[in-house]
Amino acid sequence: MPYRPCSHSTLGVLAPFLVAAMLIPTDTRGQTDEQLVRAVDSTFNAAFLARDSVRLRGLYAADAVGMYPNTPIARGNAAILKSYAELWGMNGKLVGTPVSVTTSKSGDIATVVGKYQMNFTTLAGPVVDSGSYINVYRKGTTGKWEIVQELVTSHSPAIQPPAFDTDANMAMSGGSSLKWDDLKVTGFDPGAKIAVVHGDPAGTGDYTIRLTFPDGYRFPVHWHPKAEHLTVVSGSFLLGMGTKVDEKALKTYSPGDFLYLPAKNTHFGGAKGVTVVQLHGLGPIASNLGTP
């Protein structure tokens, strides 16, 4: 089921569902409504594995509604398909397994309660997830069962915000009292300096540091395992996003400008004129050459 990353097996078990879907008979006469609904559920797994957008969209009514973790409500089968296509773009693998099927006395409504397993890949790394789903089916005048409502809940715990030290005393550092040391990072040219404003960048808590670069300084393509918040204090800071150094891609940022650098995003840059920037985030801080 569509999902935005919070957290959490490879699903080699998908293959049997593909085979099962291929074996669904085209002549459905004699099958009970429960069997027909379960067949649709199995077809979903096969269509998702095959990246078959036409087949997948056809399982949902035109006015179907999908409600998935961490996403807006998807209204209509086109919007639902778009959510699944986004998972395909993240190399997503997904399998749903029905646990119970209940049909109404009128014979035109069915409810499926099931469980799912899923994994996909984001910029922050692989995500493996499992959870439950409820699908409400409607039988049309032609006897075809379609999904009209889909509700998915993840069993993964919600991501907790980072814990900051709320018991620490208020601290103040005067700019003139900062102790500057040479910035020593593998692959970086000498000339840049670093000063710790607050905290310990090598520890696990929050930190604030300042970096100063001489005029014309350039740093290579690299990435950080954790996100960084950067504010330009003085000078002109140059930054470009990408896996290769491209001077034309550099953008200039002036004093007061703020930048949020997501974890594992590759970038490069430098300075025009003597430039000072301030970084804060959660330690330990690290700079790795190349791409993740």
Side-chain angles (χ1 to χ4, degrees):
M1 287 54 194
Y3 170 73
R4 296 297 177 279
C6 39
S7 57
H8 311 43
S9 350
T10 55
L11 307 173
V13 294
L14 281 169
F17 285 93
L18 177 59
V19 174
M22 290 178 175
L23 295 178
I24 295 174
T26 55
D27 185 359
T28 58
R29 289 175 297 179
Q31 294 192 54
T32 65
D33 286 331
E34 178 177 342
Q35 290 173 323
L36 293 174
V37 169
R38 286 183 178 273
V40 176
D41 215 87
S42 295
T43 301
F44 173 93
N45 293 302
F48 189 93
L49 175 63
R51 305 296 197 254
D52 189 338
S53 59
V54 175
R55 192 178 183 190
L56 189 63
R57 180 173 177 174
L59 301 179
Y60 294 83
D63 59 346
V65 174
M67 292 169 281
Y68 312 113
N70 307 306
T71 64
I73 295 176
R75 300 185 183 277
N77 55 9
I80 291 174
L81 179 63
K82 182 179 179 181
S83 296
Y84 286 117
E86 290 176 0
L87 270 179
W88 290 336
M90 294 186 287
N91 195 32
K93 295 180 176 63
L94 169 66
V95 61
T97 305
V99 175
S100 66
V101 178
T102 305
T103 56
S104 65
K105 291 183 178 180
S106 60
D108 59 349
I109 297 294
T111 302
V112 175
V113 176
K115 56 185 179 180
Y116 73 87
Q117 287 184 301
M118 171 177 61
N119 68 320
F120 55 93
T121 304
T122 71
L123 288 174
V127 176
V128 179
D129 181 56
S130 61
S132 304
Y133 67 90
I134 297 177
N135 281 356
V136 177
Y137 286 75
R138 181 177 63 205
K139 183 165 65 172
T141 56
T142 63
K144 177 184 177 182
W145 285 96
E146 295 179 314
I147 302 171
V148 291
Q149 292 181 348
E150 187 166 62
L151 172 63
V152 180
T153 61
S154 172
H155 293 175
S156 302
I159 296 177
Q160 298 298 319
F164 289 89
D165 188 358
T166 57
D167 295 326
N169 294 324
M170 180 267 184
M172 191 281 289
S173 297
S176 60
S177 66
L178 294 178
K179 181 180 181 297
W180 292 91
D181 296 306
D182 291 334
L183 178 66
K184 298 179 180 179
V185 178
T186 301
F188 281 53
D189 290 339
K193 292 184 177 295
I194 180 174
V196 177
V197 179
H198 178 74
D200 179 8
T204 57
D206 59 302
Y207 69 85
T208 302
I209 62 174
R210 287 187 185 176
L211 303 174
T212 182
F213 305 101
D215 181 27
Y217 187 86
R218 293 290 186 272
F219 51 82
V221 173
H222 67 286
W223 58 278
H224 309 288
K226 294 187 177 183
E228 294 184 333
H229 305 76
L230 182 150
T231 303
V232 181
V233 177
S234 63
S236 297
F237 183 67
L238 309 178
L239 187 71
M241 308 303 292
T243 59
K244 293 182 180 180
V245 173
D246 179 4
E247 291 286 325
K248 295 180 180 180
L250 289 174
K251 294 184 178 180
T252 302
Y253 299 92
S254 304
D257 288 345
F258 169 81
L259 299 171
Y260 172 71
L261 305 178
K264 298 186 178 181
N265 273 23
T266 52
H267 53 277
F268 55 90
K272 183 178 180 181
V274 177
T275 299
V276 178
V277 300
Q278 181 165 293
L279 290 171
H280 72 274
L282 291 174
I285 189 173
S287 297
N288 305 303
L289 293 180
T291 60

